[in-house]
Amino acid sequence: MLLVLTLVFGLFKLVSGQWQVIGPDKHVKASVGEDAIFSCFISPETSAEAMEVRFFRNEFSAVVHLYSDGKDHYDMQMPTYRGRTELLKDYIVDGRVSLRMEDITPSDAGLYGCSFSSQTYYQEATWELQVSALGSTPLVSVMGYVDGEIQLCCQSSGWFPQPTVKWKGPQGHDLSSDSKVNANKQGLFDVKTYLLVQEKTRNLSCSIQNVDQNLKVESKIWIGETFFQPSPWRSPTILLGLLCFGLCVCIIGLMIFFFKYRRKLQADLNWRKQQAQDEWRDARKHPVELTLDPGTAESHLHISDLRTVTYLDVPQYVTNLWMRFSNMAVVASQGFSEGKHYWEVDVGQNVGWCLGVCLDNVERAMQNVTLSPINGYWVFGKNTQQQYFSLNPDTINLFPRIPPTHVGIFLDYEGGTISFFNINDQSLIYTLTHQFAGLLRPFIHYSPGLEGNQTSIVICPVSCGSGKEGHLQKVPTSPDTDNRKPSSQVASDHTLPLQE
């Protein structure tokens, strides 16, 4: 009978559209400087794509991260969390989301919650974030003599929350001491404790413990009888102790300096990352629809659906028009002489390629030519040695954080820039600057590697990426190039084989 009632109650909840929000454990632990992940989900499984998902601090209005209407709302965040959170939505259709909070600080400790809101129902879950930091190993130093006793100092830095400090004697019993605890600008605690040692004391230990997180570090010291006997070495020993203390102070100062420097570098890196993402989103507001011109493709390059380039081991029969490239290249039917234009190209795992723009009147019959602005090319590419590069006009080696397989290209004709974005991590790879003059065409160059290692290169619709973008520009194709005369431009004497 109880089983039947349970099934009926569960069915009633499912039909009525009610569900339960389950969050992390009541206590989530994280270390200073590391990342924390909070996972929340709906039970039973219910899609949350159309819901409002909110992570908050202490109260509902204190927004840590907000998702609604199918997108993240960063403008609603509290300032302290901006640029530090990312909502992982891979399983949002199952009602599961996770929030990654980067670079945990002591001030992040406290009560958090997550909520799911539909048009008819609302539920939330709460938990406590406990932050800790394990300080440095205690440094024990000799301060000098006080009334026939030796004064010892034990110090450590970088603790959170406030730790307890203890001196212990040879039998492990606690010794009374004078301790000081100070909080630095980062909210971490520095501790220092002093102890007077009598002649009968030999083995000592200084331990510092974070009781809440069960973290403990300890240093031991052994004091010989010679410390308590008058000796001509007494003054040098004291001097040596003072020198050691000064050296320790210098080391601690350097550690604090490098810690602050590292934090500054990380903040600068986060700012650059956010700036690159903003530039990419602005660029995607100017999408353009491109098609490839088969009449310009080299005989080994097969053009299908006017968007896909495939390398053929056996060249196909083509008409040798003057506008056809002889160096494994092809250009788009569209050309640009003004405005802003953005397009994306999927290069996959190909071993060698170049993407960008070139002047419409470049010399196309030359097999070896340097793809530099001097010769009318503005490109980014990868050679067969797996090295990424650009030319401006000399070769510039580039080192993307993640190898790009999907590249975004943004041309600002009047602004005189062409930028290349790594769609894999939404980062800016490189920007070339030039005062453009003349018609520019999107350009693709293919550098095949070993047989069987090459795949197709595809011009992707911008709408296949993430996010809502601007209206797609339909750029008319240029007039029939057969009616134009060949260019009289002469290539540079300094050439670079394209198939490296």
Side-chain angles (χ1 to χ4, degrees):
M1 184 65 179
L2 180 61
L3 177 60
V4 173
L5 291 175
T6 302
L7 291 175
V8 171
F9 179 72
L11 181 61
F12 173 76
K13 290 187 67 177
L14 183 61
V15 172
S16 63
Q18 295 183 357
W19 25 259
Q20 181 182 8
V21 175
I22 300 177
D25 294 336
K26 289 301 181 181
H27 301 286
V28 178
K29 297 182 179 181
S31 298
V32 172
E34 297 182 354
D35 297 348
I37 295 182
F38 309 132
S39 298
C40 294
F41 64 92
I42 298 174
S43 178
E45 289 187 0
T46 304
S47 176
E49 283 186 297
M51 296 185 185
E52 178 190 281
V53 180
R54 178 187 298 246
F55 284 80
F56 55 90
R57 172 84 180 266
N58 293 328
E59 56 186 15
F60 185 79
S61 60
V63 177
V64 176
H65 196 102
L66 178 64
Y67 167 89
S68 66
D69 299 327
K71 60 183 179 180
D72 298 297
H73 296 272
Y74 296 99
D75 55 328
M76 300 295 293
Q77 289 180 297
M78 289 189 293
T80 185
Y81 295 104
R82 290 177 183 171
R84 297 177 52 208
T85 63
E86 177 186 8
L87 187 64
L88 307 178
K89 304 183 283 288
D90 293 344
Y91 302 98
I92 195 170
V93 295
D94 299 326
R96 293 176 176 270
V97 297
S98 297
L99 182 72
R100 175 186 288 118
M101 185 185 300
E102 301 177 350
D103 196 12
I104 295 298
T105 65
S107 61
D108 292 327
L111 188 66
Y112 288 80
C114 64
S115 68
F116 290 76
S117 304
S118 67
Q119 294 182 350
T120 59
Y121 197 63
Y122 166 86
Q123 272 287 351
E124 68 178 37
T126 59
W127 63 92
E128 181 185 7
L129 175 61
Q130 296 179 343
V131 179
S132 65
L134 180 64
S136 60
T137 302
L139 177 64
V140 180
S141 57
V142 178
M143 302 299 296
Y145 283 88
V146 177
D147 298 330
E149 296 179 325
I150 294 179
Q151 186 182 44
L152 302 178
C153 176
C154 176
Q155 55 187 345
S156 179
S157 60
W159 290 86
F160 190 85
Q162 181 173 331
T164 59
V165 186
K166 292 182 179 180
W167 285 95
K168 292 183 179 294
Q171 286 76 37
H173 58 279
D174 294 342
L175 302 176
S176 60
S177 59
D178 181 21
S179 301
K180 296 180 181 179
V181 181
N182 297 314
N184 58 29
K185 294 181 179 180
Q186 289 75 36
L188 302 178
F189 292 97
D190 302 332
V191 298
K192 184 181 293 186
T193 180
Y194 298 93
L195 177 69
L196 290 176
V197 180
Q198 299 179 356
E199 181 178 355
K200 60 182 179 180
T201 307
R202 292 294 179 262
N203 299 323
L204 299 170
S205 65
C206 174
S207 64
I208 303 178
Q209 183 175 9
N210 186 329
V211 179
D212 294 340
Q213 303 295 329
N214 197 25
L215 303 175
K216 178 181 178 181
V217 290
E218 185 179 63
S219 291
K220 296 183 179 181
I221 184 173
W222 183 87
I223 303 176
E225 295 181 357
T226 54
F227 275 94
F228 302 95
Q229 298 177 358
S231 170
W233 298 101
R234 177 175 179 177
S235 296
T237 301
I238 295 175
L239 179 60
L240 179 60
L242 294 175
L243 290 176
C244 291
F245 173 74
L247 180 61
C248 293
V249 171
C250 292
I251 293 175
I252 294 174
L254 287 175
M255 291 175 61
I256 295 174
F257 170 78
F258 283 118
F259 176 77
K260 292 182 178 179
Y261 182 71
R262 179 175 173 271
R263 290 290 300 274
K264 182 179 179 181
L265 288 180
Q266 185 63 41
D268 184 64
L269 180 63
N270 292 337
W271 178 82
R272 291 178 183 273
K273 179 180 178 182
Q274 185 62 45
Q275 186 181 44
Q277 291 178 347
D278 293 341
E279 291 181 13
W280 176 66
R281 293 189 182 96
D282 290 340
R284 297 191 91 217
K285 296 177 182 178
H286 307 277
V288 63
E289 183 177 359
L290 294 183
T291 56
L292 296 174
D293 185 357
T296 65
E298 198 269 345
S299 60
H300 284 82
L301 302 182
H302 174 66
I303 308 300
S304 57
D305 64 24
L306 297 183
R307 295 179 183 275
T308 303
V309 184
T310 305
Y311 174 78
L312 302 177
D313 293 330
V314 178
Q316 53 193 340
Y317 175 77
V318 293
T319 304
N320 290 324
L321 301 177
W322 70 266
M323 63 183 183
R324 188 179 300 280
F325 284 89
S326 59
N327 61 354
M328 298 290 181
V330 64
V331 293
S333 300
Q334 294 75 19
F336 311 118
S337 57
E338 63 179 358
K340 299 179 180 180
H341 311 278
Y342 175 84
W343 63 97
E344 296 179 358
V345 181
D346 187 348
V347 296
Q349 302 297 330
N350 282 289
V351 296
W353 44 266
C354 282
L355 306 174
V357 297
C358 69
L359 287 172
D360 186 45
N361 62 349
V362 294
E363 179 58 57
R364 305 184 183 187
M366 297 181 63
Q367 292 189 355
N368 294 323
V369 62
T370 303
L371 303 182
S372 73
I374 295 177
N375 297 323
Y377 295 88
W378 294 267
V379 299
F380 159 71
K382 181 179 77 168
N383 59 31
T384 54
Q385 283 75 44
Q386 305 296 311
Q387 297 172 330
Y388 295 93
F389 67 94
S390 184
L391 297 100
N392 192 25
D394 298 323
T395 301
I396 300 172
N397 293 320
L398 302 174
F399 305 93
R401 188 173 64 90
I402 296 177
T405 60
H406 194 171
V407 179
I409 304 168
F410 177 57
L411 171 66
D412 183 354
Y413 195 99
E414 286 80 9
T417 62
I418 178 169
S419 301
F420 302 93
F421 295 91
N422 185 352
I423 308 302
N424 299 80
D425 61 358
Q426 302 178 8
S427 64
L428 175 64
I429 301 174
Y430 192 65
T431 297
L432 290 168
T433 59
H434 190 84
Q435 290 301 117
F436 301 115
L439 186 65
L440 299 178
R441 290 186 182 273
F443 172 82
I444 296 176
H445 174 265
Y446 206 121
S447 297
L450 298 176
E451 184 177 358
N453 285 354
Q454 59 270 3
T455 59
S456 299
I457 296 178
V458 183
I459 297 178
C460 296
V462 175
S463 58
C464 73
S466 60
K468 297 181 180 179
E469 311 302 339
H471 296 292
L472 193 66
Q473 304 178 46
K474 291 188 176 180
V475 180
T477 57
S478 299
D480 188 354
T481 53
D482 289 338
N483 297 328
R484 295 178 298 175
K485 296 182 180 180
S487 171
S488 59
Q489 180 180 355
V490 179
S492 172
D493 293 337
H494 300 286
T495 60
L496 176 67
L498 289 176
Q499 302 181 29
E500 294 181 343

